Amino acid sequence: MNKWSNAAKLRLVEIRAAEEGEQDMRAMAAAIGKLPHGQLKKILTEDIIAILAKYGVVIE
């Protein structure tokens, strides 16, 4: 039973780290979304633009 408790605790740590990463990404996406769109298109790749779109930042 102790093995399961240890595994559950480790998984909880992983989940919390992932949630913190998500919150960080949302904050970054919001800040990037405030920048002028013309500049962003010049410096960001299509892959990065697609990732930002997942978080609600639309670059036209």
Side-chain angles (χ1 to χ4, degrees), residues 32-33 36-41 44 48-49 52-53 56-60:
I32 288 172
H37 295 297
Q39 288 182 341
L40 291 176
K41 280 185 106 173
L44 298 178
I48 301 301
I49 291 171
L52 290 172
V57 177
V58 178
I59 300 170
E60 300 173 2

Side-chain angles (χ1 to χ4, degrees), residues 1 3 6-7 9 11-12 14 17-18 21 25-26 29-30 32-35 43 45-46 48 50-51 53 57 60:
M1 191 69 159
K3 281 192 214 179
N6 291 340
K9 288 176 186 176
R11 183 64 183 134
L12 182 59
E14 292 173 357
M25 181 60 190
R26 288 189 186 276
I32 288 172
K34 293 178 184 175
L35 296 173
I43 60 171
T45 64
E46 291 299 319
I48 301 301
I51 291 170
V57 177
E60 300 173 2

